[in-house]
Structures are given as C-alpha cells and as structure tokens.
Amino acid sequence: MTVVSTPAMVDVPEGTSINTILRERVARSGGETLIERRDTPRGPWVPVTALEFEQEVLALARGLIARGVGVGDRVGIMSRTRYEWTLLDFAIWAAGAVPVPVYETSSAEQVRWICSDAGVRLVFAETAAHVATIEQVRDSLPACEDVLVIEDGAVAALRTAGAHLPLLAVTERRDAVHRDDLATIIYTSGSTGRPKGVELTHGNFAHLTMNAAVAIPEILDAPGSRTLLFLPLAHVFARFVEVAAFAGNSVLGHAPDIKNLVGDLGTFAPTYLLAVPRVFEKVFNSAEAKVSGSRLRSRIFAWATDTAVRYSQALDTASGPGPRLRRAHRVADRLVYGALRTAMGGHLQWAVSGGAPLGERLGHFFRGVGITILEGYGLTETTAPATVNLPRHTKIGTVGPPLPGTSVAIADDGEVLLHGPHIFRGYHHQPQLTAEAVSDGWFRTGDLGTVDDDGFLRITGRKKEIIVTASGKNVAPAVLEDRLRAHPIVSQVVVVGDQRPFIGALVTLDAEMLPGWCAARGLPNLSIEEARVHPQVLKALDAAVRHANEAVSKAESIRKVSVLDFDFTEQNGYLTPSIKVKRAKVVADLAHLVDELYEAGRPEAATAR
C-alpha cells in the first residue's frame, strides 16, 4: 500500500473550537472588516468588522438560549447562501448547539428525513416558500418546536428575545465548547439512497482551517484577501471556506443568487473563489459564445485560448515560455484575457476547484489568463479538502499533495484512503455503516487514484462506477464525461456500457448556451427537442465525441451517443445539490434508452442520435 503524508503545521489543543477561531480573529483584527454584506441585491457592500460580527453573534446566541436551545440541541438552517446563514451558524455554535444545514432546494420528504433523523428542535427558514415546504411534513417532526423566517425578521426578533440575558450566559457556553464536541451534521447529497448524516466535530474544522491558513497564506492570509461565497452553505465545501476565511485574514462576502453572480463579482472584486468545475466550464463557454457571431473575433479568441494553454504548459518546463510565446501572450492579454479577468471582478488571482475533475486544458487556459485554478479533493467525511494544489507548486491534472496533517494511501485495488484529524467521527445513527467506511482510522473514499513521485494525487474514477464491457475491458467513465461535457452546448454526460459490447453515452444539451451557439452558425433558435435531432448539432457532437476519445484507447472509446430531450436537474432528481449526476438513478430510469443504444449493434464510428 502506497502512503504519502504531510505533517501538521498547527496542533489543535483540546480546548479549541470554531468559536476559538472567531475569538482569535477578533483579537488579531477586531476593528478591521471581516465581512461585507448587502441589504438589497444591488445595494452597496456594507463592511462589518470582526468585533461587530462577534457582538452580533453573541446577541443572537443569547436569543437562542432565551428560546430554550440547550447545549447539543440541533438547529436547522434552510436558506440560500447569505450573510444571515453565516451569522446564525456562528451564533448556534456560540450557544453550544449544533447547526444542521438543509439545502434550500430540498423537497418536503428530504426536509422530513433530515430534521427527523437529526432531531432538529428549531428551524431557520429563509422565505415563506421554505416554510411551506417544511409545513408539509411538520406533523411528522414532533421534536421541531418552531420555524423562524429570516425574511420576516427572525434575526431581529432573536436579538430582542435574548436582550435581557447577561453576556455571561452565552460566553460560558461558548468557552465550554471543545475540540471533540459535535459541530454539525451535514447530510450528504449522495448519488444513491437516502442521505447519510455526517458528524463533523469542532476539531475537524479547526484542524483543517487553521492548517490551511498556514499552508496557503498566499490565498487566505494575503493583504487584501477577499472571497465571495456563492455555492450552497449547506455543502461542506462552502462551509469550510466560511470558517477558513476567519482562520486566515480574508474578507467574506455572500452571493445568494447565482443569476447575479457576474455583477456581484464585479462589485465585490474577490481575490479568490471556490467553485465546482461546471462553473469554470460555463465561464469559458460564455466567453466563447460572446465572440462566436464574428468570424474574426472568434478566430482571435481561439488563438488566444491556444496561446494561454501553451503559455501555461511552458510554465511547467525548465526553460519556461520563450520570447515569441511571451510576446503573443502579451498581445492576447490586451485583446482577450484582460476583459475576462474584469468580468470576474478584476482582482481574481486564485480559484479552488473541487467536487469533480477539472479538464487539464481548462486548467491551463485559466492559468494562462492569469487565474490559477488550484484543483483539490475531499468529501463531506473529510470536512472538505484533504489534498489541494499549492500556489507555489501546482500540477495541473492532479488534485495536489495532502494538506498538513493528512495521509493519503492507495490500496492494492487502487482505492484512495485518507487519514487525519479532519476525518469525520461517524455517520449519525449508523454505526455499522461507519465501521464499513473507516478502518483503523483510514477512511475508504470509494474513489480510485494514483500518487506520483512528488506525492501529488490523481483521481482516476469511482470504484463503484467502473464499467466492465462484455469483453472484460475496465473503463473509468470520468475522463470521457469530463472531456465531452466541455463542449459549449453539452450540459451533462453519463457514459454507459456495463456488460455491453461497446461504450455509449447519454448526453443532455445546455439550454442557456444553445441560443448563442445556434445564432453564431446562422441557425434558428432551436429548442432542445429540435436541437437533439438537428444535423449540425449532431455533427458538432460527433466531433466532441472524437475529441473525448483521444484520451482513451479504442476499446474504451465512446461509439454511440443518445441525445436526450431534457436536462438533468436537481428538480427532476437526476442532479444532487452539488451538481453531481446521480448515475445509478439515470441508468435505472433511462434503461430503455440505454437498450436502444445497443439495439443496432456496434457502429464503426462514434455517432450521435
């Protein structure tokens, strides 16, 4: 078994908690801005100092205590990513209680399961619509005493409710919270089955964020460091950054509506972002679509893209970019890259990508533009990142070396195992499942990977998603799916072929990108139903499939594609809230379409249908 480790840079004492991280930030920079908030969607960003935030947290914690919330009680938060989410999170922690996130897009049945399994006593819901969802199952939640509505003044009411309590009532509770106490229960949005409640401790968060602040100071501790959260705070990735921003010296902002993200980036001007690969694919595809109506501009963009990729690749060589490439890069910067950076706020230097593999060409493109995407790897059970590329040592195509205090092992069957103080303490109410997932402190991730001579991890697929064709060929679908999904009009891809004679794929089209793509080619504004059978669309998809197949052997290549007349969404149950495809559900529900792919036998070349 191959094992690589990175020693911890910060030891976390037994008395440390997430509350400690906020107290220490206040001690370092109490009068300086900690958060910038917006009271209206397009209003000004209002600075909130570390001291002001702490005072607000303590006021709300007193309100929770006044309402009878006890130490260890579960408090639900069902809301978009906004200032009040972070405020309530820290207030619940200060009161010694346990916040339980609920995705704001959750169905009534999902709300029922999470709140009943966790034993949620009080819920903060953002809107009346969220309340309506909760009310559908309220009768089956006897432990839930009340639902408070953020947009109806819940925060102000909570502040008033605790005004009569002395400050000592909350500071005693806050200071009594220790490293091994439960911090949160996060229900995984897993691709199959009922969500599992992952129990994460204060020590899990404290170890990871305090070490990250020291390990990547260029991001979290640099002068003027700023980040805008737009991923759901119900997800562990955003939650980690929320705490890590405080552990470092970053200013935190929130973007509740992703439809306004471009405008929010422009006004907030972050220096770093966290996102999933689909966001970066959308940014690139949107930039390409904007110039596709002009043959000249389109050619310039294609040249600039190629220049960015070659420039980034040259950075990884001993000699670096040559004089001619540097000159071309400067010209491309004036023509293309500067506008792209401006669209992302003008100050963005770093982006952390996780949740799925990022295509190498896309990684090189953004680094060539001046925005380095640091790909990382982690799961809810590891409190988010376990490995990440470093600003001073990045290998595009890998997910980096272990973070400080983390060990990575590759089992004999290729499975990635993880060990360290940030590994969860168990699945809520599921000791047998916990025992299956963790052995001798090593968490079995279910992912397959390799480690190179420098200790950088590369994820090659999911252990349970390996496709075995009828001829016995093992195929990891991720590389094919990632490359095919990079095409501007492709939204999602599911590669199939288990026990079949060849590899096929189910493809959905991107309704947002399709109109611009059609207009650039002189086509009418095709609907999804029309596009999926249009000859030019199918020809473009065939070319995209050939490009994807360049990454694999002929036996592993996609031979046939079925273009669906709908997309995978969270609403129809085929995407998780973190934008992961529920592969098992897709294959099960669309088995008839998979069968149709193979009815005519093996094609000689890739064909879309």
Side-chain angles (χ1 to χ4, degrees), residues 42-190:
R42 301 190 186 280
W45 292 98
V46 180
V48 179
T49 69
L51 183 57
E52 289 169 339
F53 181 76
E54 182 188 46
Q55 291 171 339
E56 184 81 343
V57 163
L58 295 176
L60 298 193
R62 282 149 66 187
L64 290 167
I65 294 171
R67 289 192 61 92
V69 173
V71 173
D73 281 351
R74 277 60 156 162
V75 180
I77 305 176
M78 185 179 186
S79 170
R80 294 176 302 165
T81 295
R82 56 188 288 171
Y83 170 73
E84 289 82 1
W85 216 117
T86 295
L87 182 62
L88 289 167
D89 217 6
F90 277 83
I92 295 165
W93 282 323
V98 179
V100 178
V102 180
Y103 281 99
E104 56 99 9
T105 54
S106 295
S107 66
E109 176 56 28
Q110 288 169 329
V111 171
R112 187 202 66 76
W113 165 248
I114 291 172
C115 291
S116 61
D117 187 62
V120 167
R121 182 173 177 179
L122 177 68
V123 178
F124 288 93
E126 182 182 12
T127 66
H130 296 137
V131 175
T133 300
I134 298 168
E135 289 300 328
Q136 292 179 45
V137 293
R138 185 75 180 275
D139 291 344
S140 60
L141 301 174
C144 184
E145 298 172 359
D146 206 353
V147 179
L148 305 180
V149 188
I150 293 172
E151 291 196 346
D152 286 349
V155 170
L158 198 63
R159 188 186 304 112
T160 301
H164 67 285
L165 291 179
L167 184 60
L168 190 63
V170 65
T171 55
E172 283 186 339
R173 282 211 195 173
R174 178 196 65 182
D175 298 344
V177 179
H178 286 175
R179 181 185 62 199
D180 297 331
D181 291 334
L182 182 64
T184 189
I185 306 174
I186 299 179
Y187 284 79
T188 61
S189 54

Side-chain angles (χ1 to χ4, degrees), residues 255-308:
D257 192 345
I258 199 164
K259 293 178 182 177
N260 299 329
L261 181 58
V262 173
D264 289 341
L265 289 172
T267 55
F268 187 83
T271 60
Y272 70 95
L273 285 179
L274 72 151
V276 293
R278 190 59 181 152
V279 171
F280 300 112
E281 291 168 1
K282 285 275 193 179
V283 169
F284 177 82
N285 291 340
S286 296
E288 187 178 41
K290 285 180 181 179
V291 301
S292 58
S294 163
R295 179 173 296 182
L296 176 60
R297 293 173 66 199
S298 183
R299 289 178 64 184
I300 291 172
F301 185 84
W303 167 78
T305 298
D306 182 64
T307 299

